[in-house]
PDB file of all heavy atoms in Angstrom:
ATOM      1  N   PRO M   5       6.261   3.869  26.590  1.00 87.00           N
ATOM      2  CA  PRO M   5       7.690   4.200  26.480  1.00 87.00           C
ATOM      3  C   PRO M   5       8.298   4.164  27.846  1.00 87.00           C
ATOM      4  O   PRO M   5       7.631   4.212  28.872  1.00 87.00           O
ATOM      5  CB  PRO M   5       7.702   5.595  25.862  1.00 87.00           C
ATOM      6  CG  PRO M   5       6.373   6.187  26.189  1.00 87.00           C
ATOM      7  CD  PRO M   5       5.417   5.014  26.176  1.00 87.00           C
ATOM      8  N   LEU M  32       0.305  13.373  10.689  1.00 83.00           N
ATOM      9  CA  LEU M  32      -0.836  13.050  11.523  1.00 83.00           C
ATOM     10  C   LEU M  32      -0.413  13.113  13.020  1.00 83.00           C
ATOM     11  O   LEU M  32       0.615  12.526  13.378  1.00 83.00           O
ATOM     12  CB  LEU M  32      -1.337  11.621  11.245  1.00 83.00           C
ATOM     13  CG  LEU M  32      -2.245  11.434  10.031  1.00 83.00           C
ATOM     14  CD1 LEU M  32      -2.410   9.934   9.716  1.00 83.00           C
ATOM     15  CD2 LEU M  32      -3.599  12.047  10.299  1.00 83.00           C
ATOM     16  N   PHE M  33      -1.187  13.849  13.809  1.00 83.00           N
ATOM     17  CA  PHE M  33      -0.839  14.063  15.213  1.00 83.00           C
ATOM     18  C   PHE M  33      -1.817  13.440  16.185  1.00 83.00           C
ATOM     19  O   PHE M  33      -1.575  13.307  17.370  1.00 83.00           O
ATOM     20  CB  PHE M  33      -0.698  15.551  15.524  1.00 83.00           C
ATOM     21  CG  PHE M  33       0.400  16.222  14.814  1.00 83.00           C
ATOM     22  CD1 PHE M  33       0.163  17.358  13.995  1.00 83.00           C
ATOM     23  CD2 PHE M  33       1.719  15.781  14.902  1.00 83.00           C
ATOM     24  CE1 PHE M  33       1.204  18.001  13.328  1.00 83.00           C
ATOM     25  CE2 PHE M  33       2.758  16.378  14.210  1.00 83.00           C
ATOM     26  CZ  PHE M  33       2.502  17.505  13.422  1.00 83.00           C
ATOM     27  N   LEU M  38      -4.417   7.461  15.292  1.00 95.00           N
ATOM     28  CA  LEU M  38      -3.244   6.621  14.976  1.00 95.00           C
ATOM     29  C   LEU M  38      -3.333   5.271  15.664  1.00 95.00           C
ATOM     30  O   LEU M  38      -2.949   4.236  15.077  1.00 95.00           O
ATOM     31  CB  LEU M  38      -1.991   7.382  15.345  1.00 95.00           C
ATOM     32  CG  LEU M  38      -1.705   8.617  14.436  1.00 95.00           C
ATOM     33  CD1 LEU M  38      -0.612   9.475  15.094  1.00 95.00           C
ATOM     34  CD2 LEU M  38      -1.284   8.174  13.071  1.00 95.00           C
ATOM     35  N   THR M  64       4.371   5.667  13.912  1.00 97.00           N
ATOM     36  CA  THR M  64       5.413   4.822  14.537  1.00 97.00           C
ATOM     37  C   THR M  64       5.142   4.690  16.007  1.00 97.00           C
ATOM     38  O   THR M  64       5.286   3.618  16.616  1.00 97.00           O
ATOM     39  CB  THR M  64       6.803   5.433  14.322  1.00 97.00           C
ATOM     40  OG1 THR M  64       6.902   5.892  12.944  1.00 97.00           O
ATOM     41  CG2 THR M  64       7.909   4.438  14.599  1.00 97.00           C
ATOM     42  N   LEU M  67       2.348   2.259  16.634  1.00 98.00           N
ATOM     43  CA  LEU M  67       2.772   0.842  16.375  1.00 98.00           C
ATOM     44  C   LEU M  67       3.625   0.306  17.541  1.00 98.00           C
ATOM     45  O   LEU M  67       3.467  -0.815  17.961  1.00 98.00           O
ATOM     46  CB  LEU M  67       3.553   0.751  15.061  1.00 98.00           C
ATOM     47  CG  LEU M  67       2.744   1.062  13.794  1.00 98.00           C
ATOM     48  CD1 LEU M  67       3.659   1.236  12.593  1.00 98.00           C
ATOM     49  CD2 LEU M  67       1.740  -0.068  13.509  1.00 98.00           C
ATOM     50  N   ASP M  95      13.079   1.374  23.975  1.00 92.00           N
ATOM     51  CA  ASP M  95      14.095   0.322  24.153  1.00 92.00           C
ATOM     52  C   ASP M  95      14.538  -0.325  22.871  1.00 92.00           C
ATOM     53  O   ASP M  95      14.634  -1.549  22.766  1.00 92.00           O
ATOM     54  CB  ASP M  95      13.544  -0.718  25.159  1.00 92.00           C
ATOM     55  CG  ASP M  95      13.236  -0.165  26.532  1.00 92.00           C
ATOM     56  OD1 ASP M  95      14.001   0.714  26.974  1.00 92.00           O
ATOM     57  OD2 ASP M  95      12.200  -0.521  27.093  1.00 92.00           O
ATOM     58  N   TRP M 142       4.232 -16.871  -3.706  1.00 96.00           N
ATOM     59  CA  TRP M 142       2.959 -16.568  -2.973  1.00 96.00           C
ATOM     60  C   TRP M 142       2.624 -17.761  -2.101  1.00 96.00           C
ATOM     61  O   TRP M 142       2.744 -18.902  -2.549  1.00 96.00           O
ATOM     62  CB  TRP M 142       1.888 -16.266  -3.984  1.00 96.00           C
ATOM     63  CG  TRP M 142       0.720 -15.520  -3.369  1.00 96.00           C
ATOM     64  CD1 TRP M 142      -0.420 -16.068  -2.900  1.00 96.00           C
ATOM     65  CD2 TRP M 142       0.588 -14.139  -3.200  1.00 96.00           C
ATOM     66  NE1 TRP M 142      -1.273 -15.086  -2.421  1.00 96.00           N
ATOM     67  CE2 TRP M 142      -0.658 -13.890  -2.608  1.00 96.00           C
ATOM     68  CE3 TRP M 142       1.457 -13.008  -3.459  1.00 96.00           C
ATOM     69  CZ2 TRP M 142      -1.097 -12.556  -2.288  1.00 96.00           C
ATOM     70  CZ3 TRP M 142       0.983 -11.770  -3.167  1.00 96.00           C
ATOM     71  CH2 TRP M 142      -0.240 -11.546  -2.560  1.00 96.00           C
ATOM     72  N   PRO M 144       3.118 -14.182   0.088  1.00 97.00           N
ATOM     73  CA  PRO M 144       4.321 -13.358   0.258  1.00 97.00           C
ATOM     74  C   PRO M 144       4.797 -13.438   1.716  1.00 97.00           C
ATOM     75  O   PRO M 144       4.138 -14.027   2.554  1.00 97.00           O
ATOM     76  CB  PRO M 144       3.809 -11.959  -0.055  1.00 97.00           C
ATOM     77  CG  PRO M 144       2.368 -12.005   0.358  1.00 97.00           C
ATOM     78  CD  PRO M 144       1.898 -13.358   0.011  1.00 97.00           C
ATOM     79  N   LEU M 173      -5.507  -1.625 -10.648  1.00 95.00           N
ATOM     80  CA  LEU M 173      -5.256  -1.784  -9.252  1.00 95.00           C
ATOM     81  C   LEU M 173      -6.220  -2.813  -8.564  1.00 95.00           C
ATOM     82  O   LEU M 173      -5.814  -3.603  -7.749  1.00 95.00           O
ATOM     83  CB  LEU M 173      -5.335  -0.446  -8.511  1.00 95.00           C
ATOM     84  CG  LEU M 173      -4.170   0.495  -8.625  1.00 95.00           C
ATOM     85  CD1 LEU M 173      -4.360   1.735  -7.786  1.00 95.00           C
ATOM     86  CD2 LEU M 173      -2.861  -0.174  -8.272  1.00 95.00           C
ATOM     87  N   GLN M 178      -7.004  -7.943  -6.022  1.00 98.00           N
ATOM     88  CA  GLN M 178      -8.061  -8.902  -5.689  1.00 98.00           C
ATOM     89  C   GLN M 178      -7.848 -10.315  -6.232  1.00 98.00           C
ATOM     90  O   GLN M 178      -8.577 -11.236  -5.817  1.00 98.00           O
ATOM     91  CB  GLN M 178      -9.407  -8.319  -6.156  1.00 98.00           C
ATOM     92  CG  GLN M 178      -9.838  -7.047  -5.462  1.00 98.00           C
ATOM     93  CD  GLN M 178     -11.068  -6.449  -6.058  1.00 98.00           C
ATOM     94  OE1 GLN M 178     -11.961  -7.137  -6.531  1.00 98.00           O
ATOM     95  NE2 GLN M 178     -11.129  -5.122  -6.091  1.00 98.00           N
ATOM     96  N   ARG M 191      -9.590  14.996   5.611  1.00 87.00           N
ATOM     97  CA  ARG M 191      -8.397  15.789   5.290  1.00 87.00           C
ATOM     98  C   ARG M 191      -7.983  16.677   6.437  1.00 87.00           C
ATOM     99  O   ARG M 191      -6.798  17.018   6.610  1.00 87.00           O
ATOM    100  CB  ARG M 191      -8.661  16.651   4.060  1.00 87.00           C
ATOM    101  CG  ARG M 191      -9.938  17.497   4.094  1.00 87.00           C
ATOM    102  CD  ARG M 191     -10.209  18.207   2.763  1.00 87.00           C
ATOM    103  NE  ARG M 191      -9.118  19.093   2.408  1.00 87.00           N
ATOM    104  CZ  ARG M 191      -9.059  20.370   2.872  1.00 87.00           C
ATOM    105  NH1 ARG M 191     -10.004  20.846   3.673  1.00 87.00           N
ATOM    106  NH2 ARG M 191      -8.053  21.158   2.504  1.00 87.00           N
ATOM    107  N   VAL M 205      -6.667   1.177   3.355  1.00 97.00           N
ATOM    108  CA  VAL M 205      -6.991  -0.124   2.748  1.00 97.00           C
ATOM    109  C   VAL M 205      -6.247  -1.200   3.474  1.00 97.00           C
ATOM    110  O   VAL M 205      -5.058  -1.065   3.818  1.00 97.00           O
ATOM    111  CB  VAL M 205      -6.598  -0.127   1.253  1.00 97.00           C
ATOM    112  CG1 VAL M 205      -6.788  -1.510   0.680  1.00 97.00           C
ATOM    113  CG2 VAL M 205      -7.450   0.888   0.473  1.00 97.00           C
ATOM    114  N   ALA M 252     -10.919 -18.202 -27.563  1.00 97.00           N
ATOM    115  CA  ALA M 252     -10.979 -19.544 -26.962  1.00 97.00           C
ATOM    116  C   ALA M 252     -11.711 -19.535 -25.650  1.00 97.00           C
ATOM    117  O   ALA M 252     -12.387 -20.547 -25.312  1.00 97.00           O
ATOM    118  CB  ALA M 252      -9.552 -20.122 -26.755  1.00 97.00           C
ATOM    119  N   GLU M 262     -12.817  -2.551 -18.452  1.00 96.00           N
ATOM    120  CA  GLU M 262     -13.547  -2.411 -17.122  1.00 96.00           C
ATOM    121  C   GLU M 262     -14.723  -3.361 -17.022  1.00 96.00           C
ATOM    122  O   GLU M 262     -15.293  -3.484 -15.928  1.00 96.00           O
ATOM    123  CB  GLU M 262     -13.973  -0.966 -16.950  1.00 96.00           C
ATOM    124  CG  GLU M 262     -15.062  -0.453 -17.906  1.00 96.00           C
ATOM    125  CD  GLU M 262     -14.429   0.238 -19.106  1.00 96.00           C
ATOM    126  OE1 GLU M 262     -13.248   0.012 -19.393  1.00 96.00           O
ATOM    127  OE2 GLU M 262     -15.146   1.059 -19.745  1.00 96.00           O
TER     128      GLU M 262
END
Side-chain angles (χ1 to χ4, degrees):
L32 278 169
F33 296 124
L38 291 165
T64 316
L67 294 167
D95 299 322
W142 199 266
L173 281 184
Q178 296 173 33
R191 54 186 298 274
V205 173
E262 67 266 22

